Amino acid sequence: MNRNDITRLTRKPTRWRVRSLQIALDWLLIALSFSAVVGAGEPGAAGPNPEPSVGPRSAEPRYLVFWWPPRKAAQLASIVGTRGNGRTRLLGFGKPISTFDEEDTVRDQIRAIVQAARQNDLAFMLQFDFHVFWKSRPDLWNWFDPGQPGFNPDNKRNVEWFGWGGPPARHRYLNWGVPERIAPPMCFTSPAIRAEVTRLVSRVIAPTVREELAALERDGKSRLFAGVLVGAEPGFDNYTRTDPETAKMIKADGATPGQLGYRSLLDRGYGPDRPPADLRRALAEVVQETVAFWCRQFVDAGLPAAKLYPHVAAAAPPEMMCAPAWTAFNVYSRPGWTTYPVGPLAVDFQSLYDELARHGNPPWAGVEANAGFPGSMLEWEPYLARHFNHGAVVVGINIGATGSELPVRLRDSAFSAQALAAYRKFLGGGELIDAPIPADHPQLRVQRKMKAVQAAIQAEFKAGRDPSAVGHELEQKLPPLMQSGDLAAAEALLDDALRRLGAAAPATDAYGNPLDAR
């Protein structure tokens, strides 16, 4: 969050201050869900906090996969200490491939991955990104610089727009640990882009994959194939709803802040005279249809739908990506999600289980997972249980990110003694035990009180009173407390804010369960 937001916004007319201060506090809640470090408390049972409903478990092989270099496959097996039983529970690895940028090496990479799996008796998973990294294709995205390769003004139809009349984007801003500028956000519905995806799957990827799978089948090793991860968290960025560091980069570049996706909507028949009734819903439908298109290319090229998984960011707020969990469902694949235990997945996975139930409880995958993601309240065994005990057949452990701090945190968590014990229990045939997070966990208390402060500030504005003094103090003190993980101090600050605003803290029962949740 920009520290000046609340200070600056409280100086504007009241009608602007209400919404702007609310947005600033919204960002503190998002930061808590995605970036806070839990500083106290351990997950465990706490009074009548019911277990989430359990979906059906699959009888087919289940895979614990690490996104890990093929050349270090033997090291992975040594670290984990078991490969599973080779039949129903298998250890494996996978490697992401940026299809556009790595087209010349895709075939060799596929063969190297399968060879490493064979040599080390490990399962493997393939991932193909079709929209994030395409720097090598200015012939598709350079609509704006005649002095650089690939320039063609018609390429503006291949990138996303900020409005019905543009402007088209020149860069995409991405933060997977540290913010960076990459090639423009792709227009998913562009006919030229879709033709390239079809070509890449049908002529470059699928023939080699089919060849390798046929050889595995002949050798009785087909169970080593965990599947194909299709895409890499597709969505439509909203640069008014991005993280603070990325927002600074966008501002420094003088780039357009706003919601992307208008070029795709134009391709689908919407426009200034025919806008969608619900913009986010319309964009989400484009994401779902695009995921289905990608997966269909693999099915049409001869790969089984039961081994295909999309990559939808289930924990991301819809206002940030316009890709809710239901966009992972289509007839050409099974559902697959990023399942970090934050945001809507912080307390439990019930939102995913409900979505799965609405679609007949198909087998599914948590394709990008790590219980050590910042903001997590879960230990590793219950985290794995929330996948494998509820119908997941693949869990993909991620330790990759940009920068230096986040990759270390993810790696240290993924290979901690607690994590290794959970892996060995699962791969050894043990029953994973889930445990609900107590409603009185410090992080949940802070979330509830932050929401109460939001409501109280809005009430002050509506009553014609000015809560600027409280806003200034929160703006100065709360972000650093959240960043450092000092939840006790953050809670005390919020308690003081509620007292000064004349508002009561959220009521809870003797077990810490919020009374308004009953």
Side-chain angles (χ1 to χ4, degrees):
M1 187 186 84
N2 187 328
R3 285 192 173 197
N4 296 320
D5 278 352
I6 296 177
T7 302
R8 183 179 67 253
L9 298 170
T10 52
R11 293 177 184 146
K12 293 185 178 182
T14 299
R15 67 190 181 91
W16 289 105
R17 280 185 283 166
V18 174
R19 172 164 173 75
S20 300
L21 185 52
Q22 192 81 1
I23 289 173
L25 288 171
D26 280 343
W27 269 108
L28 283 173
L29 281 166
I30 291 173
L32 177 61
S33 294
F34 283 85
S35 303
V37 178
V38 178
E42 293 293 331
N49 195 349
E51 290 273 3
S53 61
V54 178
R57 302 185 193 179
S58 174
E60 66 182 86
R62 290 184 285 173
Y63 301 90
L64 180 67
V65 173
F66 289 75
W67 296 108
W68 183 266
R71 69 181 185 280
K72 295 184 177 181
Q75 181 185 0
L76 175 65
S78 176
I79 293 171
V80 175
T82 177
R83 290 171 167 80
N85 61 18
R87 300 182 308 278
T88 60
R89 302 188 184 198
L90 294 87
L91 176 67
F93 67 93
K95 182 184 184 300
I97 299 174
S98 298
T99 315
F100 279 87
D101 280 354
E102 301 178 61
E103 178 180 351
D104 291 344
T105 65
V106 165
R107 297 177 181 89
D108 289 341
Q109 289 192 63
I110 293 169
R111 295 186 182 105
I113 291 167
V114 178
Q115 182 181 19
R118 282 176 169 273
Q119 289 175 343
N120 294 281
D121 196 27
L122 291 172
F124 69 94
M125 193 167 195
L126 305 169
Q127 180 191 10
F128 299 102
D129 157 41
F130 292 109
H131 69 102
V132 178
F133 298 109
W134 58 318
K135 180 180 179 181
S136 64
R137 297 301 305 272
D139 59 304
L140 291 172
W141 56 256
N142 182 11
W143 62 270
F144 54 89
D145 192 342
Q148 295 298 318
F151 172 71
N152 183 338
D154 290 340
N155 283 339
K156 65 180 64 175
R157 298 181 64 91
N158 299 332
V159 304
E160 266 309 336
W161 295 11
F162 286 101
W164 298 120
R170 296 187 177 211
H171 302 285
R172 186 183 182 194
Y173 296 88
L174 190 66
N175 188 342
W176 287 351
V178 295
E180 56 183 329
R181 301 171 191 84
I182 61 174
M186 182 181 287
C187 175
F188 297 140
T189 55
S190 159
I193 295 293
R194 293 207 165 187
E196 277 297 280
V197 171
T198 298
R199 181 187 66 81
L200 287 165
V201 174
S202 63
R203 300 183 186 179
V204 179
I205 298 171
T208 306
V209 174
R210 289 198 310 266
E211 174 186 312
E212 294 295 332
L213 294 184
L216 288 171
E217 181 71 28
R218 288 193 302 270
D219 296 341
K221 295 181 177 291
S222 59
R223 288 194 172 218
L224 295 183
F225 180 46
V228 175
L229 178 54
V230 182
E233 296 186 334
F236 291 99
D237 296 334
N238 183 343
Y239 294 144
T240 63
R241 288 285 191 173
T242 191
D243 65 275
E245 293 304 313
T246 302
K248 291 178 184 177
M249 180 179 285
I250 293 169
K251 183 177 180 180
D253 287 354
T256 303
Q259 176 69 62
L260 288 160
Y262 287 87
R263 181 63 254 175
S264 288
L265 293 179
L266 285 165
D267 287 344
R268 291 296 173 260
Y270 295 108
D273 299 326
R274 187 179 175 267
D278 184 332
L279 179 68
R280 289 178 186 161
R281 173 80 189 191
L283 290 172
E285 288 171 353
V286 172
V287 172
Q288 183 181 44
E289 186 267 333
T290 298
V291 167
F293 170 80
W294 291 340
C295 293
R296 180 175 180 174
Q297 305 317 299
F298 285 91
V299 173
D300 288 349
L303 297 184
K307 287 291 188 178
L308 302 177
Y309 300 92
H311 188 182
V312 170
E319 62 268 22
M320 291 178 67
M321 293 187 68
C322 299
W326 55 262
T327 60
F329 291 91
N330 67 83
V331 299
Y332 303 104
S333 75
R334 293 170 167 182
W337 295 285
T338 296
T339 52
Y340 296 126
V342 294
L345 306 183
V347 176
D348 58 46
F349 280 21
Q350 194 60 49
S351 60
L352 285 189
Y353 305 152
D354 291 345
E355 204 63 63
L356 286 160
R358 280 191 284 270
H359 291 83
N361 283 312
W364 59 282
V367 296
E368 183 180 336
N370 192 308
F373 195 82
S376 169
M377 295 178 282
L378 271 179
E379 294 185 351
W380 272 94
E381 183 173 341
Y383 180 59
L384 292 181
R386 294 182 183 194
H387 293 81
F388 288 123
N389 291 6
H390 296 262
V393 294
V394 178
V395 174
I397 307 299
N398 180 50
I399 58 173
T402 55
S404 57
E405 186 175 327
L406 184 55
V408 171
R409 181 186 177 106
L410 294 176
R411 184 171 58 250
D412 287 351
S413 177
F415 295 117
S416 64
Q418 178 198 124
L420 292 171
Y423 305 153
R424 291 162 185 164
K425 184 175 184 179
F426 167 72
L427 292 169
E431 181 72 14
L432 296 170
I433 305 301
D434 194 358
I437 297 169
D440 199 39
H441 190 287
Q443 186 165 323
L444 296 182
R445 291 202 308 269
V446 169
Q447 286 180 331
R448 289 195 295 269
K449 290 178 181 180
M450 199 176 292
K451 290 178 181 178
V453 168
Q454 281 184 306
I457 285 176
Q458 191 171 44
E460 288 291 289
F461 278 130
K462 288 181 178 179
R465 294 185 290 271
D466 187 357
S468 295
V470 176
H472 291 323
E473 186 167 355
L474 288 173
E475 169 263 319
Q476 290 292 328
K477 296 182 179 179
L478 191 54
L481 292 175
M482 299 307 304
Q483 186 174 9
S484 67
D486 191 347
L487 295 183
E491 186 173 13
L493 181 65
L494 291 166
D495 285 337
D496 182 64
L498 288 168
R499 179 188 60 77
R500 292 165 63 188
L501 292 167
T508 59
D509 63 19
Y511 299 100
N513 297 303
L515 294 178
D516 59 3
R518 298 186 170 214

